[in-house]
Amino acid sequence: MKIDRLELRLLKLPLVHFFETSFGRVYDKEFILVRLDANGASAYGECVADVDPYYSAETNETAWHIISDFIAPRVLGVSFDHPRDVFPALKAIRGHNMAKAAVEMAAWDLHARLEGESLYKTLGGARERIASGVSVGIQDSLEQLATKIERELAAGYRRIKIKIKPGWDVDAVAMVRQRFGPIPLMVDANAAYTLADADHLARLDAFDLMMIEQPLDYEDIADHALLQRRLKTPICLDESIKSVHIAEAAIAAGACRIINIKPGRVGGFRESIRLHDLCASHGIPVWHGGMLESGIGRSANIHLSTLPNFSLPGDVAASKRYFDPDVIDPPVEVAADGTIAVPQRPGLGVTIVDERVERATIRYAAVESRNVQI
Ligand code: OSB
Ligand code: MG
């Protein structure tokens, strides 16, 4: 496929409920949507960068800059035999995995559409339904947290994750266990602690959690290895796993027993598949993370979650928890058994409502190959 047009949009959608992590509270979702055109088909990739550099160093502004000034000239007018060739073609650009992933994932969608095949098949997945879990943010009170969890359990979700931070951790977990009993439960600290908190974090061992996600700094593999030795609860790394190479080091160091995969964090589907395979070869289970994606990014996550080592429920939940309406119609829905059906039509296999995309667009640019000098 020869990519002959790249379009960028910055979209802003209000969130149904605010979402709070250890690094702050958000009320809206602003994200870049990439569209690629080739051979008469068009395809989409959603960038998971945010307004601010709190989850990772990238932001929407940096991603816009890197995609327009450095990635577009390396893909426009270029014939790719397969989308797995896109990430290597961007090797000269250091970092900026979220920007790279948005374009690379659009190339996978494009390839799958041109082949007339559902994306999960192109990615090498097999299952037709995926297990869905939810990530419940920090609330204003424990009572509010209990109300939210009650609603998610009633909807059928297969596991509950709660966000924690110093001052909202052991008491919150104790409340959930006391109110809801032995449900599949885990916590995510988004790097809010240091090794000096090890004794405090070890108090969580009493609650039989599935895992504790990213307790320490995003750069800190060595301290996670020390902490894992002091905890019975498995550590799952998120922010720290910025590449397959870092994952190898983290596994070798014993820094985690589980890894969460977000394609945006590692540079797209190709690298996510490599990470998935690496984890499988070490007996490390993986699950699919979420970044409050719209239905477009969410459906990409659903497709990747069909690979065999995604053996734990992911943070891939129904559209209506986030956006009303979503930019796809029908939205992503969760069945009463806590599973989501994998779209079977070519590519992402969802219907994007152009008029909703248009209405949410706050910035737009398009580049065509004939205008570009490489
Ligand atoms: O750490 O997994 C995280 C959302 C934004 C940034 C980081 C994270 C999250 C979530 C939400 O936990 C997952 C989702 O429901 O999309
Ligand atoms: Mg996380």
Side-chain angles (χ1 to χ4, degrees):
M1 58 192 174
K2 182 160 164 287
I3 298 169
D4 46 41
R5 185 171 179 278
L6 184 153
E7 178 187 286
L8 283 178
R9 286 170 185 269
L10 184 63
L11 272 66
K12 183 171 181 168
L13 293 173
L15 286 168
V16 170
H17 294 288
F18 67 79
F19 188 73
E20 184 173 328
T21 64
S22 61
F23 44 71
R25 185 178 280 196
V26 291
Y27 295 88
D28 306 286
K29 168 81 182 174
E30 257 184 62
F31 63 97
I32 294 171
L33 184 61
V34 175
R35 174 177 147 174
L36 295 180
D37 289 8
N39 305 17
S42 50
Y44 294 87
E46 178 169 333
C47 182
V48 297
D50 233 314
V51 174
D52 26 48
Y54 302 157
Y55 170 84
S56 88
E58 291 185 81
T59 67
N60 289 332
E61 285 292 326
T62 69
W64 191 282
H65 160 55
I66 295 294
I67 295 172
S68 11
D69 295 342
F70 296 98
I71 298 177
R74 287 177 170 80
V75 299
L76 279 168
V78 179
S79 271
F80 290 99
D81 286 339
H82 195 276
R84 74 170 74 90
D85 301 333
V86 174
F87 185 79
L90 306 176
K91 194 174 186 315
I93 305 164
R94 290 200 173 150
H96 298 284
N97 280 342
M98 292 177 173
K100 290 175 181 173
V103 175
E104 194 249 17
M105 291 162 81
W108 281 85
D109 180 25
L110 193 50
H111 179 77
R113 283 182 203 230
L114 290 169
E115 297 285 307
E117 175 176 80
S118 177
L119 179 58
Y120 77 104
K121 293 189 175 158
T122 314
L123 292 169
R127 56 176 83 105
E128 293 184 2
R129 303 195 72 86
I130 65 151
S132 176
V134 281
S135 173
V136 181
I138 294 164
Q139 307 295 320
D140 288 327
S141 66
L142 291 180
E143 204 41 53
Q144 223 175 65
L145 178 65
T147 307
K148 284 217 132 195
I149 292 175
E150 199 166 5
R151 191 183 317 146
E152 307 299 8
L153 289 172
Y157 287 104
R158 295 273 183 104
R159 69 98 168 103
I160 302 287
K161 152 169 146 183
I162 65 168
K163 293 289 191 178
I164 59 167
K165 65 176 180 181
W168 181 273
D169 48 30
V170 178
D171 291 351
V173 172
M175 181 282 288
V176 177
R177 273 286 179 248
Q178 206 243 325
R179 286 277 272 266
F180 301 102
I183 57 167
L185 181 66
M186 60 172 287
V187 294
D188 185 358
N190 286 109
Y193 298 87
T194 70
L195 202 51
D197 300 309
D199 288 338
H200 180 68
L201 292 169
R203 293 176 60 199
L204 293 170
D205 276 344
F207 298 99
D208 194 27
L209 299 174
M210 296 167 79
M211 69 196 90
I212 172 167
E213 185 180 344
Q214 197 69 39
L216 310 180
D217 194 72
Y218 81 111
E219 301 279 20
D220 220 333
I221 299 295
D223 280 359
H224 276 107
L226 292 172
L227 181 64
Q228 182 66 91
R229 270 171 215 130
R230 292 176 60 179
L231 296 183
K232 212 172 64 192
T233 309
I235 290 177
C236 168
L237 289 178
D238 173 357
E239 283 91 326
S240 288
I241 305 298
K242 291 176 281 185
S243 67
V244 178
H245 191 65
I246 292 172
E248 277 171 352
I251 294 168
C256 59
R257 294 190 201 136
I258 301 172
I259 285 178
N260 133 344
I261 296 183
K262 294 177 179 172
R265 209 184 52 221
V266 295
F269 282 138
R270 169 201 160 102
E271 292 301 288
S272 295
I273 295 167
R274 289 184 57 223
L275 178 55
H276 164 276
D277 295 351
L278 172 81
C279 290
S281 73
H282 287 276
I284 303 269
V286 304
W287 54 276
H288 207 299
M291 294 290 285
L292 312 178
E293 289 90 345
S294 84
I296 300 171
R298 191 167 297 279
S299 53
N301 296 349
I302 293 169
H303 285 284
L304 184 64
S305 302
T306 62
L307 270 65
N309 194 35
F310 281 90
S311 53
L312 295 163
D315 280 347
V316 185
S319 292
K320 70 173 183 207
R321 295 187 71 240
Y322 307 85
F323 309 105
D324 184 23
D326 201 334
V327 292
I328 60 165
D329 192 28
V332 172
E333 278 167 352
V334 170
D337 68 349
T339 64
I340 296 176
V342 181
Q344 298 294 322
R345 287 188 283 132
L348 287 171
V350 295
T351 303
I352 296 167
V353 184
D354 291 335
E355 179 255 323
R356 291 183 196 159
V357 169
E358 196 62 57
R359 214 175 334 129
T361 299
I362 54 177
R363 188 175 174 190
Y364 174 89
V367 225
E368 296 193 21
S369 59
R370 61 189 148 80
N371 300 331
V372 176
Q373 297 288 312
I374 300 178

